[in-house]
């Protein structure tokens, strides 16, 4: 049997948060130092399009997708076990939430594998799936968290999760709207050129949603320390 309070299990979301943050930051630093992107708010994908940062970005984001899948699956098992005694959510709802999350992880893999300039249509679909499924997943998890109160969660944590979900959902909409108004595919944006404002606003929203996911998974660490046998 595997106990949820084992340090290795609680470490999974912590590793996900650290690894994903490092993936974004390292790729950004390399891309800026190489002169491939402007330092002022590029798209996340822009920082992983050209070598050498493309290799780092692809490798690290694929690992992030794997870690996210593992985290989501453990979260699913944890809720199933808690639900046996509390009955706060339908098992089908828990499974649906897991499937949505895994769709988002698949989208991450597509983004990491198909670079923005190489196969833009596939890359954009992957990004839409990753971000869209991601905001749905964290919103559903926030609702489930409220349903599990006060036995399995504190209202303080639930409020934080819902706030992160709300901000991510709000940022997701203008991210898509502004991106749809950009008439060209490029990574070396400079202020003053055509569509730069759309790019700038969309990129800000993209970074907001991405780090919203990271901060949301950070709140899972305490949950994974609960002493429940899940296997």
């Amino acid at each position: 049997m595997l106990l949820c309070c084992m340090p290795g299990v609680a470490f999974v979301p912590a590793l996900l948060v650290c690894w994903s943050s490092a993936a974004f930051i390292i790729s950004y630093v390399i891309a800026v130092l190489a002169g491939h992107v402007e330092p002022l708010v590029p798209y996340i994908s822009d920082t992983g399009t050209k070598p050498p940062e493309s290799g780092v970005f692809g490798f690290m984001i694929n690992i992030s997708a794997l870690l996210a899948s593992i985290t989501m699956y453990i979260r699913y098992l944890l809720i199933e076990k808690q639900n046996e005694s509390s009955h706060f959510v339908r098992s089908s709802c828990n499974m649906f939430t897991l499937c949505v999350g895994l769709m988002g992880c698949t989208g991450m893999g597509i983004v990491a594998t198909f670079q923005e300039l190489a196969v833009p249509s596939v890359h954009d679909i992957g990004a839409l799936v990753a971000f869209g499924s991601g905001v749905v997943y964290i919103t559903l998890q926030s609702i489930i968290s409220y349903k599990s109160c006060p036995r399995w969660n504190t209202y303080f944590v639930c409020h934080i999760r819902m706030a992160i979900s709300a901000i991510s959902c709000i940022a997701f909409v203008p991210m898509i709207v502004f991106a749809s108004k950009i008439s060209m595919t490029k990574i070396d944006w400079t202020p003053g050129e055509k569509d730069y404002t759309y790019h700038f606003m969309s990129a800000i929203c993209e970074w907001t949603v991405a780090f919203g996911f990271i901060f949301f998974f950070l709140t899972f660490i305490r949950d994974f320390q609960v002493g429940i046998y899940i296997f």
Side-chain angles (χ1 to χ4, degrees):
M1 290 187 178
L2 177 62
L3 190 63
C4 271
C5 64
M6 288 176 60
V9 177
F11 185 69
V12 174
L15 179 59
L16 169 61
V17 168
C18 294
W19 185 272
S20 299
S21 299
F24 295 148
I25 294 171
I26 292 174
S27 297
Y28 170 82
V29 170
I30 295 175
V32 170
L33 292 178
H36 295 158
V37 298
E38 291 296 317
L40 186 60
V41 199
Y43 277 127
I44 295 174
S45 297
D46 291 350
T47 66
T49 298
K50 294 183 177 180
E53 63 269 18
S54 60
V56 175
F57 181 84
F59 171 74
M60 296 192 74
I61 293 301
N62 274 317
I63 297 297
S64 291
L66 176 61
L67 290 173
S69 299
I70 295 172
T71 300
M72 292 172 181
Y73 182 61
I74 295 175
R75 173 67 175 170
Y76 163 80
L77 293 175
L78 180 60
I79 293 173
E80 284 293 289
K81 195 64 180 179
Q82 293 172 343
N83 206 40
E84 289 180 3
S85 58
S86 301
H87 307 290
F88 56 87
V89 67
R90 292 182 179 179
S91 181
S92 58
C93 178
N94 190 27
M95 174 58 74
F96 175 75
T97 303
L98 173 64
C99 292
V100 171
L102 294 179
M103 281 181 59
C105 295
T106 302
M108 288 177 62
I110 294 173
V111 168
T113 305
F114 299 93
Q115 269 107 28
E116 182 179 6
L117 297 182
V119 196
S121 58
V122 177
H123 178 91
D124 291 344
I125 291 173
L128 183 61
V129 171
F131 283 103
S133 298
V135 295
V136 173
Y137 176 80
I138 64 174
T139 301
L140 291 174
Q141 282 293 345
S142 297
I143 295 172
I144 291 174
S145 296
Y146 273 110
K147 288 181 175 294
S148 69
C149 281
R151 181 172 182 182
W152 301 110
N153 273 296
T154 65
Y155 281 105
F156 176 73
V157 171
C158 292
H159 294 337
I160 291 177
R161 288 177 180 168
M162 187 56 75
I164 294 173
S165 300
I167 292 171
S168 298
C169 289
I170 292 171
F172 175 74
V173 175
M175 180 188 82
I176 299 300
V177 172
F178 287 124
S180 67
K181 294 181 177 295
I182 298 174
S183 58
M184 64 190 82
T185 300
K186 56 181 297 185
I187 65 173
D188 54 338
W189 291 91
T190 54
E193 66 181 312
K194 181 184 177 182
D195 295 339
Y196 175 79
T197 301
Y198 295 141
H199 160 77
F200 181 75
M201 297 302 297
S202 181
I204 289 178
C205 293
E206 183 186 56
W207 283 94
T208 300
V209 176
F211 274 93
F213 295 156
I214 289 175
F215 287 124
F216 191 90
F217 283 114
L218 188 63
T219 69
F220 277 177
I221 295 176
R222 179 66 183 86
D223 292 40
F224 283 26
Q225 294 173 337
V226 176
I228 290 182
Y229 289 99
I230 59 176
F231 291 119

